[in-house]
Amino acid sequence: SMHHMAHVFSVVAMHSELFAAHKNRFIRHIVNSLNRLGLPPTCPIENRMLSLKLTELILDWTESFTQLEGETPKKSRKKRVAKSAVPSAKRQKIDTNSSV
């Protein structure tokens, strides 16, 4: 049931360092459950907050994995969101040309 799933995921979110070694087993289930957990309009605010914590946890686990692999240095979430929210220069150029 939804209540049991929320409880299990809250334990994972609260003790993420214990589950980090087995993150590959959890990420798939967490992602598939996010819509059912925090999206319905009748869900409690605690479930919505939990879905945000789980999303942050997945991002943290992904960042720590990329650091271990040596691909990219750790970036703050605010910088990542800010860059993705701003359209690229190429898109801006296309938009200005199409309006003429």
Side-chain angles (χ1 to χ4, degrees):
S1 79
M2 184 63 61
H3 179 70
H4 293 116
M5 182 176 60
H7 177 69
V8 169
F9 286 153
S10 66
V11 170
V12 171
M14 286 190 306
H15 304 287
S16 61
E17 66 279 351
L18 297 175
F19 295 99
H22 306 286
K23 63 186 171 200
N24 293 334
R25 297 180 183 189
F26 287 103
I27 289 177
R28 178 175 29 127
H29 297 291
I30 292 171
V31 170
N32 289 333
S33 302
L34 283 175
N35 285 339
R36 288 182 282 151
L37 188 64
L39 192 60
T42 58
C43 75
I45 191 72
E46 291 84 10
N47 286 3
R48 291 181 185 204
M49 291 173 57
L50 177 61
S51 65
L52 291 174
K53 286 181 186 177
L54 290 171
T55 305
E56 183 178 7
L57 175 66
I58 290 172
L59 290 173
D60 289 342
W61 279 348
T62 306
E63 286 179 356
S64 67
F65 177 75
T66 56
Q67 281 183 346
L68 290 175
E69 293 293 318
E71 293 177 6
T72 57
K74 185 175 181 179
K75 296 179 182 178
S76 70
R77 226 172 262 103
K78 290 181 181 179
K79 289 181 182 177
R80 184 173 55 235
V81 171
K83 286 184 178 181
S84 65
V86 176
S88 67
K90 188 174 185 178
R91 280 192 229 147
Q92 289 176 351
K93 185 177 179 182
I94 292 170
D95 290 341
T96 57
N97 290 339
S98 64
S99 63
V100 174

